[in-house]
Amino acid sequence: MRVWNKVSVNEVIVWVVIMLFTTLHPIYAQTSQKNDDGLILKEADLAACVQEAMENNRRRPASRYAVEMAEAQHRQTLAGYWPQINARGGYLRMDESPNFIFPASSITTIVGSIPVPEQDVKLMDEDSYRASLEATWLLYDGGMRKGYRQQTEGLVLMMKQESRRTDLEIMDSVKRLYWGAVLANTIHQIGRDALARMETTLSLTETMYKEGSGRVKKTDWLDNKVMVESLRAMIALLEKNELMAQAALANTMGMPWYSSVKPADKEMLFTPFVNQLDKLVGTAYQFNPDWAKVEAGILAAEGAVQLAESGHYPKLALTGDLFKWWNDYDGGMATERNKEGWNVGIGVEIPLFSGFLHTNKVAEALARVSKIKEEQFLLQEGIGLQIRDIFLSLNAAEKSYKATLAAMKTAAENRSLNTRAYQHELVDTEKVIRAQLMDSLMSAQHYKALYEHIALQSQLTLVVGTEVMKKLEN
C-alpha cells in the first residue's frame, strides 16, 4: 500500500506538468537581457506576451506574404482590362539582297510585238533596322476576364482568412503556454512544499522511534526516508519542466532558443463561462475562419464556372501598329512610303466546334461548386459539434474545478489533523504520509482542472474567433 501511494502520487505530479508541453514550435528572434548563465530571462504579463508574439512570431510574416501573393495575382487579372502596348525593335542582316525576277514578256503595239527581257529587281539592302509600337485591346471576351477576376478575389479572401487563423493560433498558443508556465510553477511549489513537510515528518519520525514509546519503529522511518528521497528526485524533474515551460513560452513569442519568459502572474484565476450554446453556435458562422474560407472558395469556384462558359462566346479585340523601317536602299520595297506608317484593325475569334471541350469544362466547374457547397454543410455541422464539445467540456471543467477545490480543502484539513495527531503518536506513520501525499495530489489535480478550464476558453476563442467572444461579452 505504501509503495502504491508513493508511485501514483509521483506519476500524477510529473504527468500533470509534462502534458503541457506536447506541441512546441521553434521560433527565433533577438533580445539583449541575460542572466549569469548567459541565458535571456524576462518577466512579462499575458498581454505583453501576446503583443510580442504578434510582432516577432515568424508564422505571421509567412501568412502575410501569402496574402500579398494572392493580391498580386488579382492585380494581374485586372491588367487584362487595359490595352496591351509593346515596343519592338530589331536589326536584320541577310546574306545577300533579296530580289524579284520579272519574267520576260512582250508588249503588243500597232506596229507589232515588242519583246521585254527578264528583269532582276533588287528589293532592299542586306541590312535593315525596324522599330514598332503595337497595341491590342480586348473589347469582348465572353466573361473570361470576369472569371479570372472572381477566382483571384476568392483566393485573396481565402489567404486573408488563413492569415487570420494564424493570428488566432498564435494567441491561443501564447495563452496556453503562459498559463501552462504558471501551472508548472504552481506544481513545482506544491512539490517543494510537500518535500518540506515530508522532511519535517521524517525528522519527527526519527525522533519518535528513538525516543518515543515504541509505537513508531525504524521501519517506519525507513519507509519515510525512501518517500522523501523519491520525492526529492521528482522535484528536480518538476524544476526542469518549469524551466522548459518558460522556454516554450519564449519560443512562441519569437525569442531565441536560449530565452525564457517568466509569467508575471503567480496564480490562475477562475472565470465562469456563462454564454448559451445556441447563441454561440449561431454567431460563430459569421466569424469562424474556416467558414469564411469555404465561402471564399465558393466565390473562386463560381469564377471558374464563368471562365469555362466564356469558351462558348466569341472574342473581339482592337489592334494597332505604328512602325518605322530603316534601309539604305531607295528602290524595290524600300521606298519612303513603305518605310514608315501605321495600321488599325479589329480582330474577332469565333469558336465553332471544339469536340465538346468547353461544355465539359463547364460541367466540371459546376460540379466543383456543388462539391464545395456540400462540404460547407459538413463544416457547418462540424463547427457546431466542435463548439458543443468545448461547451460541454467547459461545464465539466467547472464542475471538476469546484469538486477538486472542495477535495483540496478537505485534504489540507486532513493533513493538518493527521500531522498534529502524529506528533502525539495517535496515528500511524503510514497514515500521516498518505495524508500529506493526498494533500499534494488534490492540490495538483485542482490546479490542473483550473488550467484545463482556461485552456478550453482559449480553444473556444480559436474556433469561433475573437470577434464572436467580444460581441457576446458586450
Side-chain angles (χ1 to χ4, degrees):
M1 180 63 72
R2 296 171 184 170
V3 175
W4 183 88
N5 283 332
K6 177 184 67 174
V7 174
S8 63
V9 171
N10 290 339
E11 289 181 347
V12 169
I13 293 177
V14 174
W15 175 75
V16 167
V17 182
I18 294 179
M19 64 175 294
L20 302 176
F21 318 119
T22 55
T23 54
L24 303 179
H25 302 281
I27 316 282
Y28 305 95
Q30 294 288 334
T31 188
S32 58
Q33 184 179 358
K34 297 184 179 181
N35 59 14
D36 295 338
D37 298 328
L39 301 179
I40 300 173
L41 179 62
K42 61 184 297 185
E43 183 173 321
D45 58 10
L46 178 58
C49 291
V50 171
Q51 181 179 357
E52 186 166 348
M54 300 303 286
E55 294 174 355
N56 299 329
N57 192 295
R58 294 297 183 186
R59 294 179 61 194
R60 293 200 76 207
S63 62
R64 287 198 299 267
Y65 284 130
V67 174
E68 291 182 9
M69 289 171 57
E71 291 175 341
Q73 290 180 358
H74 179 60
R75 291 191 295 269
Q76 291 175 35
T77 61
L78 297 180
Y81 289 93
W82 294 86
Q84 307 299 308
I85 302 175
N86 298 302
R88 300 180 184 274
Y91 164 75
L92 176 65
R93 168 70 183 183
M94 294 178 287
D95 61 338
E96 56 183 347
S97 301
N99 67 335
F100 176 76
I101 301 297
F102 194 87
S105 61
S106 60
I107 300 176
T108 304
T109 64
I110 58 176
V111 297
S113 178
I114 302 175
V116 178
E118 179 182 275
Q119 300 181 46
D120 186 351
V121 180
K122 179 180 178 182
L123 297 181
M124 65 182 75
D125 277 345
E126 296 89 343
D127 298 307
S128 295
Y129 299 88
R130 182 179 177 87
S132 64
L133 190 66
E134 301 173 357
T136 303
W137 192 2
L138 186 61
L139 301 178
Y140 178 75
D141 57 12
M144 179 184 67
R145 290 172 294 183
K146 181 180 178 181
Y148 279 125
R149 187 187 73 230
Q150 192 168 337
Q151 279 185 302
T152 54
E153 285 177 355
L155 179 61
V156 170
L157 294 176
M158 290 172 65
M159 292 301 100
K160 286 183 177 180
Q161 292 302 321
E162 191 68 29
S163 176
R164 179 168 163 264
R165 167 161 286 282
T166 298
D167 292 346
L168 291 174
E169 288 175 348
I170 292 174
M171 288 188 289
D172 174 63
S173 298
V174 172
K175 289 179 182 178
R176 288 188 295 105
L177 290 173
Y178 180 88
W179 294 115
V182 175
L183 176 60
N185 176 71
T186 303
I187 298 296
H188 188 198
Q189 185 60 49
I190 291 174
R192 291 196 297 265
D193 294 342
L195 179 60
R197 288 194 295 266
M198 291 290 289
E199 289 176 337
T200 301
T201 303
L202 178 63
S203 178
L204 180 60
T205 302
E206 184 178 11
T207 302
M208 291 173 66
Y209 98 80
K210 290 182 178 179
E211 303 175 2
S213 62
R215 182 173 179 177
V216 178
K217 300 178 177 57
K218 185 176 182 179
T219 54
D220 296 322
W221 177 81
L222 292 175
D223 286 339
N224 198 348
K225 179 69 172 177
V226 171
M227 187 69 66
V228 168
E229 297 307 323
S230 298
L231 188 57
R232 196 188 310 279
M234 291 298 102
I235 299 302
L237 183 57
L238 294 177
E239 182 181 8
K240 184 269 293 185
N241 284 325
E242 180 184 0
L243 296 176
M244 279 303 302
Q246 296 173 359
L249 177 58
N251 228 268
T252 307
M253 292 167 55
M255 300 175 65
W257 63 267
Y258 48 81
S259 306
S260 296
V261 175
K262 184 178 181 181
D265 294 273
K266 303 305 178 184
E267 59 182 12
M268 298 175 287
L269 299 179
F270 178 77
T271 305
F273 187 78
V274 295
N275 286 309
Q276 298 178 357
L277 178 60
D278 54 349
K279 184 178 179 182
L280 187 64
V281 174
T283 314
Y285 298 123
Q286 303 177 29
F287 303 102
N288 182 274
D290 294 328
W291 182 266
K293 191 174 179 180
V294 170
E295 290 187 333
I298 293 176
L299 177 65
E302 291 174 345
V305 174
Q306 181 77 30
L307 176 62
E309 289 177 343
S310 69
H312 292 295
Y313 299 97
K315 294 175 177 57
L316 182 66
L318 177 66
T319 62
D321 184 16
L322 178 66
F323 66 90
K324 177 71 174 178
W325 178 33
W326 291 271
N327 191 278
D328 292 337
Y329 192 57
D330 294 327
M333 292 181 59
T335 64
E336 293 298 324
R337 179 181 297 180
N338 292 338
K339 287 183 178 180
E340 61 182 10
W342 58 269
N343 59 73
V344 176
I346 295 180
V348 62
E349 177 183 315
I350 303 175
L352 299 178
F353 180 72
S354 60
F356 308 104
L357 173 65
H358 299 295
T359 300
N360 288 296
K361 283 185 176 181
V362 172
E364 177 191 0
L366 290 173
R368 184 177 293 110
V369 172
S370 300
K371 175 178 177 292
I372 297 176
K373 288 183 177 180
E374 291 300 322
E375 292 175 345
Q376 188 179 32
F377 287 117
L378 295 176
L379 178 62
Q380 181 179 12
E381 296 299 321
I383 291 175
L385 186 61
Q386 188 176 10
I387 294 176
R388 181 181 180 184
D389 177 64
I390 298 175
F391 189 83
L392 295 176
S393 299
L394 278 169
N395 289 334
E398 288 188 12
K399 295 177 181 178
S400 177
Y401 167 80
K402 295 176 182 178
T404 54
L405 178 60
M408 181 180 68
K409 293 179 179 178
T410 303
E413 183 179 1
N414 181 57
R415 184 257 307 161
S416 178
L417 290 175
N418 275 278
T419 300
R420 291 198 300 268
Y422 186 63
Q423 293 173 353
H424 298 87
E425 299 187 21
L426 299 178
V427 296
D428 295 333
T429 306
E430 178 182 356
K431 190 171 183 180
V432 72
I433 292 176
R434 185 185 301 114
Q436 291 178 347
L437 293 177
M438 189 57 65
D439 179 29
S440 301
L441 174 61
M442 290 300 100
S443 297
Q445 288 185 342
H446 170 69
Y447 290 113
K448 175 179 175 292
L450 177 56
Y451 168 78
E452 288 180 348
H453 188 267
I454 296 175
L456 284 169
Q457 288 184 328
S458 178
Q459 184 182 356
L460 185 63
T461 302
L462 173 63
V463 174
V464 303
T466 54
E467 294 87 351
V468 172
M469 303 304 296
K470 293 178 181 178
K471 184 175 181 180
L472 294 178
E473 289 173 0
N474 294 331

